[in-house]
Amino acid sequence: EIARRQKLQALRRLEPFCPDSKIETVELDSPGKGTLLLVQAECEQATATCFALGALGKRAERVADEAVEELLAFLETGAAIDQHLADQLVLPLAFANGPSRYKTASITRHLLTQAMLVPMFLKVAVQIEGEEDRPGLVNILPG
């Protein structure tokens, strides 16, 4: 019942943006109780994934709203990379043959730390355009 309510609420929220949304309910083995709602947007060249966790006393509809709101907020930025991936791309792109540039949904403290640390070990410049907790651009210029 809880999974059904999460699914219906998420579909209601997504319908204005993507009327052909589909959600599959899957039951997985777990040592504990709880639910997870994961929503994915399959974009032209990437997939955006957001989720919310259920908890005792947390309404199923709230779980769905949290996951959908996170996804819609990401899509609204027009960024190609979410805040969770942005910092992880700095190191591999530092080894690229040429410059790399991407827009992230949010400049995080993790991203700022990577931008400071990676040039300490590699011949590369990492430039961040924008403010913390806001969308921004990442430029990686191998030396």
Side-chain angles (χ1 to χ4, degrees), residues 42-120:
E42 293 181 13
C43 303
E44 190 174 312
Q45 296 184 6
T47 299
T49 304
C50 299
F51 69 91
L53 295 172
L56 279 173
K58 186 176 184 181
R59 293 189 46 78
E61 292 78 10
R62 183 170 158 222
V63 175
D65 287 341
E66 288 175 3
V68 170
E69 285 167 14
E70 183 179 341
L71 180 66
L72 295 178
F74 168 73
L75 294 173
E76 191 175 279
T77 69
I81 305 297
D82 71 34
Q83 66 269 23
H84 307 293
L85 181 58
D87 61 289
Q88 296 177 44
L89 288 176
V90 173
L91 182 60
L93 291 176
F95 291 100
N97 290 330
S100 299
R101 179 178 174 101
Y102 56 89
K103 183 175 182 183
T104 180
S106 182
I107 296 171
T108 64
R109 181 93 18 130
H110 285 250
L111 176 59
L112 295 171
T113 301
Q114 286 290 80
M116 182 186 70
L117 285 176
V118 170
M120 293 175 153

Side-chain angles (χ1 to χ4, degrees), residues 113-128:
T113 301
Q114 286 290 80
M116 182 186 70
L117 285 176
V118 170
M120 293 175 153
F121 298 95
L122 300 172
K123 215 174 197 184
V124 64
V126 181
Q127 302 166 343
I128 309 290

Side-chain angles (χ1 to χ4, degrees), residues 121-140:
F121 298 95
L122 300 172
K123 215 174 197 184
V124 64
V126 181
Q127 302 166 343
I128 309 290
E129 298 175 29
E131 300 174 26
E132 190 173 351
D133 297 324
R134 308 278 303 155
L137 293 172
V138 179
N139 295 290
I140 302 168

Side-chain angles (χ1 to χ4, degrees), residues 20-61:
D20 62 343
S21 295
K22 296 169 188 68
I23 295 179
E24 178 184 355
T25 303
V26 178
E27 190 172 329
L28 303 171
D29 291 333
S30 172
K33 295 181 181 180
T35 64
L36 167 93
L37 179 68
L38 183 136
V39 290
Q40 280 186 316
E42 293 181 13
C43 303
E44 190 174 312
Q45 296 184 6
T47 299
T49 304
C50 299
F51 69 91
L53 295 172
L56 279 173
K58 186 176 184 181
R59 293 189 46 78
E61 292 78 10

